[in-house]
Amino acid sequence: MRVLKIHILLILLFICGTYIAQNSTKIPTDFYKLLQQQKFNEIFSLLDTTNIPKTFIEAQKEKMKPYLTQYGKAKKLLKIIEDDAGVKKKYALLIQFKKGKKNLNLVLNSNQRIFTCTISDYNETPFFQLKGYQGFSEVTDLSTEIKTRDNITLGANIAFGDTSKQKSPCVIFVHGSGSHDRDETIGPNKPFRDLAQGLAQKGIVSLRYDKRGYDYIHLSKTQIDSIDLYTEVINDAIDAVKSAKKNSFIDSTRIYIVGHSLGAMCAPKMAELCPQLKGIIMMAGPAGNLLDIIPEQVEYMAKLNDTISNLESVQINQIKWQVEKTKASYLNDKTPKGLLLLNQSAKYWRSIIQYNQIETAKKLVLPIFILNGERDYQVTMKQFEIWKKEFANYRNVQFRSYPKLNHLFLEGEGKANPDEYNKSGHIPQYVIDDLVEFIQ
């Protein structure tokens, strides 16, 4: 397991500065100079490790040098390409290494710290390229914002096609766990932007927003310490529904939640608390408890190269130990975060343990659409089959699985792995069509 890619673990394994123009590439340029000089301690000091558990910080540090030197010494910086990602900045350093050309990808937060660092295949257009889906040729994508019940302002976009004839149905996109922007950007991929584009061309409006904590620097200590499933995911999604209803061209009686991963898992609770919803769409939503799923994901990634190193074995055992501590009946607010899984608070894990998405969904009468990629190693077909078994006799629930799709609903071949997320792709038209059919 390439531990430097731990951001993928934190983003997708169910938890965990504005630059002036002339200085916009200073950090990536400094990074490259340090890489060329092989000053790895100095490189590590540029990384933002604020929310990463200590167990993983040491593992990152140990594996950083072999990860950054796997293609030999950096010979030449060919180009730096910048992409505006809202409060964060993304850079692709196109580098000639001794063993060939590669992209070194950096994401910086507003505190000018490196949030993620990955190496991917050489690509002169490394960032998201808009895909045209079938339907209307024009899509309007406007910036807006959502004001939450505790007075946090979330940056957002509302996308729509032709709204001149009648009021349109609307979907609210809800992210998986981790620090996601409004597009749920992973590498060069933007799943929510894809879905917004495709749905708009079929006459369906969408609202997508930056997740609370996307730039955690702006959260107070009280807000960070109080995070649970409700404050992280559920409440903001309901507030987004209320915001969407203010738009005159949206049919307020036809608003849907489209949740992905953790967002999908929480969708039944959103529907229970927000009876105005017309339906929920659950994309790769876990059926079981996250505490049981996370160790399986860690082991899967460790075994991708068919061997488990001593360090990986220690990490797996540490995760399992933390899972048992987190499940302990004596768990309370004074339990140190360091003892708990992924450094999350006792309050957060209590909200996970106490929530049963299957039992909550069984109380609902609104339409439910459950989708899964058959190559998804994070929310596997085992989870999908649990949903199917539990809701086999429920007429309001539909199911669909896709043989070629991974956790991001992007196509691939063979055994899925985290490297896929650094390859540019788009959600296939047939997924868009299935969502449209369900909504319309």
Side-chain angles (χ1 to χ4, degrees):
M1 179 171 61
R2 292 173 176 170
V3 185
L4 196 61
K5 292 189 177 181
I6 200 66
H7 67 283
I8 293 176
L9 184 70
L10 295 176
I11 290 171
L12 296 172
L13 286 193
F14 318 106
I15 316 254
C16 99
T18 305
Y19 295 90
I20 55 177
Q22 62 266 33
N23 292 326
S24 64
T25 60
K26 183 180 186 307
I27 299 296
T29 300
D30 289 348
F31 189 101
Y32 175 76
K33 289 178 180 177
L34 293 172
L35 177 63
Q36 216 177 24
Q37 297 165 15
Q38 298 195 333
K39 294 183 177 180
F40 298 103
N41 285 334
E42 287 87 342
I43 289 176
F44 195 80
S45 69
L46 298 175
L47 304 183
D48 182 1
T49 58
T50 308
N51 282 345
I52 300 179
K54 291 181 180 179
T55 304
F56 293 111
I57 290 176
E58 291 305 314
Q60 272 190 320
K61 198 167 185 178
E62 182 177 329
K63 289 206 170 183
M64 182 175 61
K65 180 177 178 179
Y67 180 72
L68 291 177
T69 58
Q70 62 183 306
Y71 301 106
K73 190 172 181 179
K75 307 282 284 185
K76 184 179 181 181
L77 178 60
L78 305 173
K79 188 186 295 185
I80 296 178
I81 301 175
E82 180 178 347
D83 182 51
D84 188 355
V87 296
K88 294 179 181 175
K89 293 288 184 181
K90 299 173 66 178
Y91 299 91
L93 284 66
L94 279 56
I95 298 174
Q96 175 69 59
F97 287 94
K98 183 178 180 180
K99 297 180 182 179
K101 296 178 182 178
K102 293 290 177 181
N103 287 14
L104 193 148
N105 311 293
L106 304 177
V107 178
L108 276 63
N109 62 24
S110 61
N111 204 30
Q112 302 190 20
R113 305 280 290 178
I114 295 174
F115 188 67
T116 65
C117 169
T118 59
I119 296 175
S120 61
D121 293 338
Y122 184 78
N123 185 355
E124 293 188 358
T125 56
F127 296 116
F128 180 80
Q129 305 292 312
L130 192 62
K131 176 184 173 75
Y133 292 95
Q134 297 171 6
F136 301 115
S137 59
E138 296 297 326
V139 170
T140 302
D141 195 35
L142 299 179
S143 296
T144 183
E145 59 184 29
I146 295 168
K147 202 77 171 181
T148 69
R149 63 194 69 189
D150 56 347
N151 295 317
I152 293 176
T153 300
L154 304 176
N157 272 62
I158 188 166
F160 51 91
D162 183 0
T163 61
S164 62
K165 297 179 181 178
Q166 59 185 3
K167 290 190 174 185
S168 303
C170 177
V171 302
I172 312 295
F173 293 115
V174 185
H175 330 67
S177 55
S179 301
H180 285 297
D181 66 11
R182 66 197 70 180
D183 296 325
E184 203 182 37
T185 303
I186 304 290
N189 303 296
K190 295 179 180 289
F192 285 176
R193 184 67 184 88
D194 278 346
L195 292 171
Q197 174 78 7
L199 292 175
Q201 290 177 330
K202 294 292 187 178
I204 297 169
V205 180
S206 66
L207 181 64
R208 62 194 197 278
Y209 55 92
D210 292 335
K211 190 178 177 184
R212 174 183 297 251
Y214 173 57
D215 190 18
Y216 57 81
I217 293 164
H218 299 305
L219 292 178
S220 68
K221 184 178 185 303
T222 300
Q223 289 167 331
I224 293 173
D225 290 344
S226 65
I227 288 290
D228 60 12
L229 274 184
Y230 293 88
T231 53
E232 183 197 8
V233 183
I234 297 168
N235 293 346
D236 290 346
I238 295 173
D239 291 342
V241 172
K242 295 176 182 177
S243 179
K245 292 175 68 174
K246 296 176 183 178
N247 293 278
S248 61
F249 56 89
I250 289 176
D251 184 346
S252 62
T253 67
R254 298 175 67 198
I255 297 180
Y256 296 77
I257 289 291
V258 177
H260 178 234
S261 199
L262 182 69
M265 189 187 89
C266 293
K269 178 57 70 174
M270 297 170 202
E272 182 181 66
L273 298 177
C274 186
Q276 305 98 307
L277 288 175
K278 177 67 174 178
I280 57 175
I281 297 170
M282 301 165 60
M283 304 180 70
N289 192 288
L290 299 189
L291 287 170
D292 298 318
I293 296 172
I294 289 175
E296 295 177 4
Q297 296 174 338
V298 175
E299 286 197 58
Y300 176 92
M301 289 198 293
K303 292 177 180 177
L304 281 173
N305 59 359
D306 298 322
T307 60
I308 297 180
S309 68
N310 290 336
L311 176 60
E312 289 168 341
S313 180
V314 169
Q315 290 175 336
I316 291 169
N317 289 333
Q318 175 75 3
I319 288 285
K320 290 180 177 179
W321 179 84
Q322 287 183 317
V323 165
E324 293 308 312
K325 288 291 181 184
T326 304
K327 285 181 175 180
S329 59
Y330 58 79
L331 187 67
N332 59 62
D333 291 338
K334 294 182 180 180
T335 305
K337 284 185 178 181
L339 292 177
L340 304 178
L341 189 62
L342 298 180
N343 213 33
Q344 295 298 312
S345 69
K347 180 178 181 181
Y348 182 84
W349 286 116
R350 274 203 310 274
S351 71
I352 293 283
I353 293 169
Q354 292 169 2
Y355 175 55
N356 187 316
Q357 56 270 40
I358 289 178
E359 294 306 313
T360 303
K362 285 182 177 179
K363 301 174 187 176
L364 304 175
V365 295
L366 83 177
I368 301 173
F369 191 18
I370 300 175
L371 307 81
N372 224 92
E374 294 180 20
R375 296 179 61 254
D376 189 340
Y377 71 86
Q378 294 176 257
V379 179
T380 65
M381 289 299 290
K382 174 183 174 182
Q383 298 293 310
F384 183 70
E385 293 300 327
I386 293 173
W387 285 112
K388 289 184 69 174
K389 179 180 178 181
E390 292 287 341
F391 290 87
N393 298 318
Y394 285 71
R395 298 184 65 182
N396 64 315
V397 184
Q398 300 178 36
F399 302 93
R400 189 66 52 84
S401 67
Y402 305 94
K404 292 185 177 181
L405 302 191
N406 62 19
H407 189 65
L408 301 187
F409 285 76
L410 303 178
E411 288 188 341
E413 300 290 341
K415 197 172 184 179
N417 65 78
D419 290 338
E420 289 186 25
Y421 303 148
N422 284 318
K423 296 177 181 178
S424 180
H426 291 281
I427 291 181
Q429 179 68 46
Y430 54 78
V431 177
I432 304 286
D433 292 341
D434 286 345
L435 298 187
V436 171
E437 182 180 355
F438 175 78
I439 293 167
Q440 293 188 339

